[in-house]
PDB file of all heavy atoms in Angstrom:
ATOM      1  N   GLN W  17     -24.484 212.228  77.249  1.00 78.00           N
ATOM      2  CA  GLN W  17     -23.852 211.088  77.788  1.00 78.00           C
ATOM      3  C   GLN W  17     -24.906 210.143  78.347  1.00 78.00           C
ATOM      4  O   GLN W  17     -26.047 210.502  78.573  1.00 78.00           O
ATOM      5  CB  GLN W  17     -22.871 211.470  78.923  1.00 78.00           C
ATOM      6  CG  GLN W  17     -23.534 212.044  80.146  1.00 78.00           C
ATOM      7  CD  GLN W  17     -22.496 212.339  81.235  1.00 78.00           C
ATOM      8  OE1 GLN W  17     -21.372 212.748  80.935  1.00 78.00           O
ATOM      9  NE2 GLN W  17     -22.908 212.169  82.458  1.00 78.00           N
ATOM     10  N   GLY W  51     -20.651 199.305  72.201  1.00 97.00           N
ATOM     11  CA  GLY W  51     -19.561 198.362  72.049  1.00 97.00           C
ATOM     12  C   GLY W  51     -19.317 197.591  73.315  1.00 97.00           C
ATOM     13  O   GLY W  51     -19.680 198.006  74.424  1.00 97.00           O
ATOM     14  N   ALA W  56      -7.875 192.201  80.149  1.00 97.00           N
ATOM     15  CA  ALA W  56      -7.298 191.166  80.984  1.00 97.00           C
ATOM     16  C   ALA W  56      -6.193 191.779  81.819  1.00 97.00           C
ATOM     17  O   ALA W  56      -5.645 192.844  81.450  1.00 97.00           O
ATOM     18  CB  ALA W  56      -6.745 190.029  80.134  1.00 97.00           C
ATOM     19  N   ARG W  61      -6.997 197.473  76.966  1.00 96.00           N
ATOM     20  CA  ARG W  61      -8.384 197.241  76.670  1.00 96.00           C
ATOM     21  C   ARG W  61      -8.558 196.780  75.210  1.00 96.00           C
ATOM     22  O   ARG W  61      -7.993 197.420  74.324  1.00 96.00           O
ATOM     23  CB  ARG W  61      -9.237 198.459  76.960  1.00 96.00           C
ATOM     24  CG  ARG W  61     -10.722 198.205  77.007  1.00 96.00           C
ATOM     25  CD  ARG W  61     -11.450 199.307  77.771  1.00 96.00           C
ATOM     26  NE  ARG W  61     -11.035 199.355  79.160  1.00 96.00           N
ATOM     27  CZ  ARG W  61     -11.611 200.121  80.086  1.00 96.00           C
ATOM     28  NH1 ARG W  61     -12.641 200.911  79.726  1.00 96.00           N
ATOM     29  NH2 ARG W  61     -11.175 200.110  81.322  1.00 96.00           N
ATOM     30  N   GLU W  62      -9.314 195.745  74.977  1.00 97.00           N
ATOM     31  CA  GLU W  62      -9.395 195.090  73.727  1.00 97.00           C
ATOM     32  C   GLU W  62     -10.819 195.111  73.214  1.00 97.00           C
ATOM     33  O   GLU W  62     -11.781 194.842  73.932  1.00 97.00           O
ATOM     34  CB  GLU W  62      -8.930 193.619  73.860  1.00 97.00           C
ATOM     35  CG  GLU W  62      -9.073 192.777  72.602  1.00 97.00           C
ATOM     36  CD  GLU W  62      -8.811 191.298  72.873  1.00 97.00           C
ATOM     37  OE1 GLU W  62      -8.899 190.901  74.071  1.00 97.00           O
ATOM     38  OE2 GLU W  62      -8.465 190.586  71.912  1.00 97.00           O
ATOM     39  N   ASN W  73     -26.395 196.551  62.098  1.00 95.00           N
ATOM     40  CA  ASN W  73     -25.082 196.082  61.715  1.00 95.00           C
ATOM     41  C   ASN W  73     -24.238 195.833  62.947  1.00 95.00           C
ATOM     42  O   ASN W  73     -24.368 196.553  63.941  1.00 95.00           O
ATOM     43  CB  ASN W  73     -24.388 197.109  60.799  1.00 95.00           C
ATOM     44  CG  ASN W  73     -23.236 196.533  60.004  1.00 95.00           C
ATOM     45  OD1 ASN W  73     -23.062 195.315  59.923  1.00 95.00           O
ATOM     46  ND2 ASN W  73     -22.395 197.402  59.463  1.00 95.00           N
ATOM     47  N   ARG W  83     -18.636 183.065  68.036  1.00 98.00           N
ATOM     48  CA  ARG W  83     -18.904 182.646  69.416  1.00 98.00           C
ATOM     49  C   ARG W  83     -19.742 183.623  70.178  1.00 98.00           C
ATOM     50  O   ARG W  83     -20.560 183.260  71.034  1.00 98.00           O
ATOM     51  CB  ARG W  83     -17.599 182.356  70.138  1.00 98.00           C
ATOM     52  CG  ARG W  83     -16.734 181.294  69.480  1.00 98.00           C
ATOM     53  CD  ARG W  83     -15.550 180.945  70.394  1.00 98.00           C
ATOM     54  NE  ARG W  83     -14.665 182.085  70.578  1.00 98.00           N
ATOM     55  CZ  ARG W  83     -14.369 182.612  71.788  1.00 98.00           C
ATOM     56  NH1 ARG W  83     -14.891 182.109  72.895  1.00 98.00           N
ATOM     57  NH2 ARG W  83     -13.521 183.615  71.880  1.00 98.00           N
ATOM     58  N   TYR W  96     -26.628 193.699  74.921  1.00 97.00           N
ATOM     59  CA  TYR W  96     -26.258 192.388  75.431  1.00 97.00           C
ATOM     60  C   TYR W  96     -25.066 191.841  74.676  1.00 97.00           C
ATOM     61  O   TYR W  96     -24.758 192.188  73.550  1.00 97.00           O
ATOM     62  CB  TYR W  96     -27.410 191.401  75.240  1.00 97.00           C
ATOM     63  CG  TYR W  96     -28.716 191.851  75.858  1.00 97.00           C
ATOM     64  CD1 TYR W  96     -29.681 192.476  75.121  1.00 97.00           C
ATOM     65  CD2 TYR W  96     -28.951 191.631  77.239  1.00 97.00           C
ATOM     66  CE1 TYR W  96     -30.850 192.897  75.669  1.00 97.00           C
ATOM     67  CE2 TYR W  96     -30.130 192.056  77.787  1.00 97.00           C
ATOM     68  CZ  TYR W  96     -31.102 192.709  77.026  1.00 97.00           C
ATOM     69  OH  TYR W  96     -32.264 193.100  77.588  1.00 97.00           O
ATOM     70  N   ARG W 116     -19.105 205.581  69.080  1.00 93.00           N
ATOM     71  CA  ARG W 116     -19.191 205.376  67.611  1.00 93.00           C
ATOM     72  C   ARG W 116     -19.030 203.928  67.289  1.00 93.00           C
ATOM     73  O   ARG W 116     -18.468 203.141  68.064  1.00 93.00           O
ATOM     74  CB  ARG W 116     -18.112 206.210  66.915  1.00 93.00           C
ATOM     75  CG  ARG W 116     -18.347 207.707  67.038  1.00 93.00           C
ATOM     76  CD  ARG W 116     -17.329 208.488  66.216  1.00 93.00           C
ATOM     77  NE  ARG W 116     -16.457 209.273  67.083  1.00 93.00           N
ATOM     78  CZ  ARG W 116     -15.422 209.988  66.646  1.00 93.00           C
ATOM     79  NH1 ARG W 116     -15.100 209.998  65.355  1.00 93.00           N
ATOM     80  NH2 ARG W 116     -14.690 210.670  67.493  1.00 93.00           N
ATOM     81  N   PHE W 117     -19.483 203.569  66.132  1.00 94.00           N
ATOM     82  CA  PHE W 117     -19.354 202.209  65.614  1.00 94.00           C
ATOM     83  C   PHE W 117     -17.903 202.004  65.230  1.00 94.00           C
ATOM     84  O   PHE W 117     -17.489 202.347  64.139  1.00 94.00           O
ATOM     85  CB  PHE W 117     -20.284 202.009  64.422  1.00 94.00           C
ATOM     86  CG  PHE W 117     -20.360 200.618  63.884  1.00 94.00           C
ATOM     87  CD1 PHE W 117     -21.043 199.626  64.587  1.00 94.00           C
ATOM     88  CD2 PHE W 117     -19.757 200.316  62.680  1.00 94.00           C
ATOM     89  CE1 PHE W 117     -21.128 198.336  64.092  1.00 94.00           C
ATOM     90  CE2 PHE W 117     -19.853 199.000  62.192  1.00 94.00           C
ATOM     91  CZ  PHE W 117     -20.528 198.044  62.872  1.00 94.00           C
ATOM     92  N   SER W 118     -17.153 201.444  66.160  1.00 95.00           N
ATOM     93  CA  SER W 118     -15.718 201.412  65.992  1.00 95.00           C
ATOM     94  C   SER W 118     -15.094 200.327  66.831  1.00 95.00           C
ATOM     95  O   SER W 118     -15.702 199.850  67.806  1.00 95.00           O
ATOM     96  CB  SER W 118     -15.109 202.772  66.420  1.00 95.00           C
ATOM     97  OG  SER W 118     -13.675 202.734  66.405  1.00 95.00           O
TER      98      SER W 118
END
Side-chain angles (χ1 to χ4, degrees):
Q17 66 177 36
R61 194 160 295 188
E62 176 189 21
N73 197 15
R83 300 188 297 120
Y96 305 96
R116 294 185 246 177
F117 186 74
S118 174

